Amino acid sequence: MKSTRPTLRTLLHTALAALIIAVLAVWRLPVVLGQPQDSLIFAGSAMSIVLVAALFLLIRHAFGCEDARLNRTVYSIGLIFSAFTLVGKQVEANSGLLPLSWASALDGLFLWALYAVVYGAALLLIFQTITSLTQRAAASARESLFSRILGNYFFVFALLLLCWIPVWLAFWPGTFVYDSGTQFYTYYDWVHNTHHPLLHTLLLGFCIVLGIDITPEGDAAVGLAIYSIVQMVLMAGLLAYACRWMRRRGAPHPARVFVTLLFAIFPFYGIWSFSAQKDILFGALAMVFILQLMDLWRDGYAALRSAWRIAGFILTATLMMLMRNNGIYALILFIPFALLWAKGARLRMAAVLAGCAAVYFAVNGALIWATEAVIPCKIELLSIPLQQIARTLRDNPSAIDLDTDQVLDTLYDVDLAEIYAPAVADPVKWTAYYDEVDANLPKLLSLWARMGVQNVKTYLEAFLVQNLPYFLPGARMIYRFDLGVVQIDLFYIQEHSYLPGLQSIIKGYDNTLTLFGLPGIRLLSDTAFYVCLCIAGFGYAIYRRKYQWMSSFVFLLAIWISCLVGPVAIIRYMLAFFYAIPVMLAVMLAPEGKPALPATEEPAMGEQPVAPAEPEPPHVTTPQP
């Protein structure tokens, strides 16, 4: 029989290839990071030598992997991460893309492939480690007292509130900025529109007006405090559900402890718990929806036959979509993938998801009728096109000749090139005549298309520059937590910190996204890092053929896609990632050594049925003479 062990020559060739790739990756690293080539001198840098050695060992190990499916998965994701790094760093360093030539194009393709191998090798080691952890023996059937306490809903609920209340007291009476003031006045004046989610506007307005009405001096700070308490209670309840869900799905104790403490003591979650903005409750509800989605896929047909579970799923989906318009956009993007993976249950899954959308439209329509809300102009959906037109006029003023219909003169009385802000579309939105936008929409879109054909690079730059924090870890955001209060007319909101020392620490964290110099804190507060975790998790789910994980990661990516066409890249739009991904990754580490499904149960959607074991022949005893 022929031996499958690699020959000495093969091992030498593999080691040589790994060494060459490692040296090239370290040598070209300055260029990739947007620095001059000579900023890191390989021959004289001990750090470079250490890095080459580490990459050599990593890549040599990866080249020894014979799992073709794993190789295809990790190197495909490596291509994505390599593109994020190369394009993102170039845009960050130059506020745009460098001029394209044959030499630069070939060099870019070379670097793309080179760092795809590096990223792929790292992912391969991570995936192998996770697989080995999940294939260990399952824990004892008898659960420890610590595990029961850690997964107890009321314990986690109380722990979260206990840890969050000091953060709130440091910023009494809460956080009230930007859209919050607009939402309050739409409620107070009862002049509603659908730009902001009506359900959240009603909740916020009711709480603040309640505080004004119950205090003799009409104190809006009391109203904001009431809202802060209500939201903290709701958030604690939703995150406690997630911690209990981890216990039910068998997540290992260390992962459960980490996620619970992350939610409780990491300032990121404490700050958002009381922030009076529409995105926070949406993010937590999206997390619960995703976890229920995983349950639906994992339990398969049994879940789809339970009226109570379907009703709970539809209720969660409806509340999520009512809290932010991105919810319905993400659901629509998600439906084709859901039906593709719901093998054997496509009609039922289609009915459930259609039911979610139908209930949302019915309830939202009822809210529109009850509040007499009007539908605003479509300027918000035009954020990226307007940014692209404005950047084109800034870089190529002669492009104005393409505006043969003078649509820009109709919509603006200012020069778009002068008000263009690369990171945020608000200036080009706010200065437009809203009454003219819808009437001139066909002409505007026609101009956008004609201008785009001749300015492809500029259009791409406008998109990439604005969305840089959504795909490049470490990219700077112009807004972070939006701490404090933006005052509103008529009702003054008095701020007072009961814990000024804690307030100072958290303000420092807000400015730098670092805390006490601890490593990794910056990444735990970074949207692009969580996007990369989501893509990697989706790739691992594909590798392991876990449809319940695949569906949940795709829904998160649908939220991400809907945010890419928004007016600005900020943390609160992406909070669903920060709530859902730690919980999902913890459950993905659960051991899989569990008994097979009984023959009477039906398998999960998209998975092969488990055949019942054949009975052993009866034992026959031969009589002794």
Side-chain angles (χ1 to χ4, degrees):
M1 183 176 178
K2 187 176 179 179
S3 174
T4 58
R5 295 182 61 184
T7 63
L8 178 60
R9 176 178 292 182
T10 301
L11 292 175
L12 290 174
H13 288 171
T14 300
L16 180 60
L19 179 62
I20 291 173
I21 292 173
V23 171
L24 288 174
V26 174
W27 176 53
R28 299 305 305 275
L29 187 59
V31 175
V32 171
L33 297 180
Q35 304 294 324
Q37 178 67 69
D38 58 357
S39 63
L40 184 64
I41 303 174
F42 170 71
S45 173
M47 181 60 69
S48 297
I49 297 174
V50 171
L51 188 56
V52 166
L55 286 179
F56 166 72
L57 295 175
L58 177 67
I59 296 169
R60 188 183 63 173
H61 168 79
F63 283 175
C65 176
E66 298 180 354
D67 187 337
R69 182 179 179 83
L70 178 58
N71 285 329
R72 287 196 303 270
T73 302
V74 297
Y75 292 116
S76 297
I77 301 173
L79 287 171
I80 298 174
F81 288 176
S82 180
F84 282 178
T85 302
L86 293 172
V87 175
K89 282 297 182 181
Q90 184 180 136
V91 170
E92 183 181 51
N94 303 284
S95 299
L97 298 171
L98 294 174
L100 189 63
S101 64
W102 281 109
S104 63
L106 291 175
D107 186 58
L109 290 174
F110 168 73
L111 292 176
W112 184 32
L114 177 66
Y115 285 94
V117 174
V118 175
Y119 278 117
L123 287 168
L124 186 142
L125 180 61
I126 293 171
F127 285 9
Q128 286 179 332
T129 302
I130 295 175
T131 301
S132 65
L133 289 174
T134 59
Q135 291 177 349
R136 68 192 186 279
S140 172
R142 184 174 181 179
E143 188 178 15
S144 66
L145 176 63
F146 173 75
S147 177
R148 292 198 299 271
I149 294 175
L150 188 64
N152 182 274
Y153 179 89
F154 297 102
F155 170 79
V156 177
F157 177 81
L159 176 65
L160 293 176
L161 287 179
L162 184 66
C163 294
W164 291 348
I165 286 175
V167 183
W168 171 50
L169 294 177
F171 292 91
W172 171 275
T175 299
F176 190 82
V177 295
Y178 308 123
D179 292 343
S180 302
T182 304
Q183 288 181 267
F184 167 73
Y185 271 113
T186 59
Y187 177 89
Y188 187 76
D189 297 330
W190 205 254
V191 183
H192 292 276
N193 64 69
T194 58
H195 176 68
H196 300 294
L198 291 171
L199 184 61
H200 184 264
T201 297
L202 294 173
L203 175 62
L204 176 65
F206 173 80
C207 290
I208 295 181
V209 170
L210 177 63
I212 293 172
D213 290 343
I214 65 175
T215 53
E217 64 278 10
D219 194 350
V222 174
L224 180 56
I226 292 173
Y227 176 83
S228 298
I229 293 171
V230 170
Q231 181 169 288
M232 277 195 293
V233 169
L234 292 174
M235 292 296 295
L238 294 172
L239 295 187
Y241 170 90
C243 292
R244 179 177 178 273
W245 185 86
M246 286 191 294
R247 173 196 175 195
R248 190 159 52 87
R249 286 306 183 198
H253 291 174
R256 288 168 55 195
V257 170
F258 174 81
V259 174
T260 304
L261 293 180
L262 182 73
F263 289 160
I265 65 176
F266 188 41
F268 182 96
Y269 297 93
I271 293 170
W272 291 120
S273 68
F274 57 84
S275 179
Q277 300 182 75
K278 57 194 174 187
D279 311 273
I280 291 81
L281 286 171
F282 166 75
L285 285 166
M287 173 200 67
V288 174
F289 174 78
I290 287 166
L291 301 186
Q292 292 181 353
L293 195 66
M294 292 178 71
D295 284 342
L296 200 66
W297 240 267
R298 185 180 185 276
D299 297 340
Y301 303 99
L304 290 174
R305 288 173 177 169
S306 171
W308 286 108
R309 292 186 67 176
I310 292 176
F313 180 77
I314 292 176
L315 176 63
T316 302
T318 302
L319 289 173
M320 173 196 67
M321 291 184 284
L322 288 173
M323 282 297 172
R324 185 162 178 80
N325 295 333
N326 292 63
I328 185 62
Y329 304 151
L331 183 68
I332 292 172
L333 290 173
F334 168 72
I335 286 176
F337 297 95
L339 298 184
L340 176 65
W341 295 328
K343 295 180 180 178
R346 287 192 174 96
L347 289 178
R348 294 179 186 179
M349 180 53 65
V352 170
L353 295 177
C356 293
V359 173
Y360 160 73
F361 284 118
V363 176
N364 196 50
L367 288 174
I368 292 174
W369 172 80
T371 59
E372 302 175 329
V374 298
I375 299 175
C377 78
K378 301 178 179 63
I379 192 76
E380 189 80 9
L381 298 176
L382 299 173
S383 296
I384 293 296
L386 289 175
Q387 287 286 82
Q388 292 170 328
I389 291 174
R391 187 180 182 97
T392 299
L393 294 177
R394 188 198 69 176
D395 296 348
N396 181 19
S398 63
I400 192 64
D401 296 338
L402 296 172
D403 187 11
T404 55
D405 296 321
Q406 284 78 47
V407 63
L408 295 181
D409 291 337
T410 304
L411 298 182
Y412 295 93
D413 58 8
V414 296
D415 185 355
L416 276 183
E418 295 180 358
I419 62 172
Y420 169 67
V424 58
D426 287 342
V428 298
K429 290 190 321 179
W430 292 341
T431 52
Y433 288 112
Y434 286 11
D435 295 339
E436 299 288 343
V437 171
D438 288 345
N440 291 273
L441 185 58
K443 294 180 180 179
L444 179 61
L445 292 178
S446 175
L447 172 63
W448 172 72
R450 294 196 309 272
M451 197 175 287
V453 170
Q454 300 182 20
N455 298 274
V456 175
K457 178 174 175 288
T458 306
Y459 270 36
L460 182 59
E461 287 176 332
F463 175 82
L464 293 173
V465 169
Q466 180 173 306
N467 289 301
L468 193 63
Y470 281 161
F471 66 90
L472 179 66
R476 180 182 176 273
M477 281 189 166
I478 60 173
Y479 304 117
R480 296 188 179 94
F481 297 101
D482 302 330
L483 297 170
V485 170
V486 174
Q487 295 297 335
I488 55 179
D489 297 333
L490 300 180
F491 302 103
Y492 180 74
I493 300 177
Q494 179 67 47
E495 299 178 77
H496 176 73
S497 176
Y498 290 97
L499 298 170
L502 180 59
Q503 184 189 64
S504 177
I505 293 173
I506 293 177
K507 283 186 174 180
Y509 166 64
D510 177 34
N511 292 331
T512 64
L513 295 182
T514 60
L515 196 64
F516 306 125
L518 296 173
I521 296 299
R522 178 65 178 79
L523 290 179
L524 290 177
S525 311
D526 192 284
T527 54
F529 176 68
Y530 275 85
V531 170
C532 291
L533 285 179
C534 185
I535 294 173
F538 177 60
Y540 184 72
I542 292 175
Y543 166 61
R544 297 296 304 277
R545 294 187 175 93
K546 297 293 185 179
Y547 290 90
Q548 68 269 30
W549 298 344
M550 290 164 60
S551 61
S552 298
F553 283 119
V554 163
F555 186 79
L556 280 175
L557 291 174
I559 294 176
W560 176 57
I561 291 172
S562 70
C563 291
L564 290 175
V565 296
V568 62
I570 53 178
I571 293 174
R572 59 186 174 89
Y573 289 173
M574 299 280 286
L575 282 176
F577 282 72
F578 291 87
Y579 294 125
I581 286 182
V583 178
M584 294 167 64
L585 295 181
V587 172
M588 291 173 72
L589 295 174
E592 297 182 350
K594 297 179 180 179
L597 291 172
T600 55
E601 291 191 21
E602 297 183 74
M605 288 179 288
E607 296 185 358
Q608 296 298 320
V610 180
E614 295 184 1
E616 296 183 0
H619 181 69
V620 180
T621 304
T622 304
Q624 297 294 326

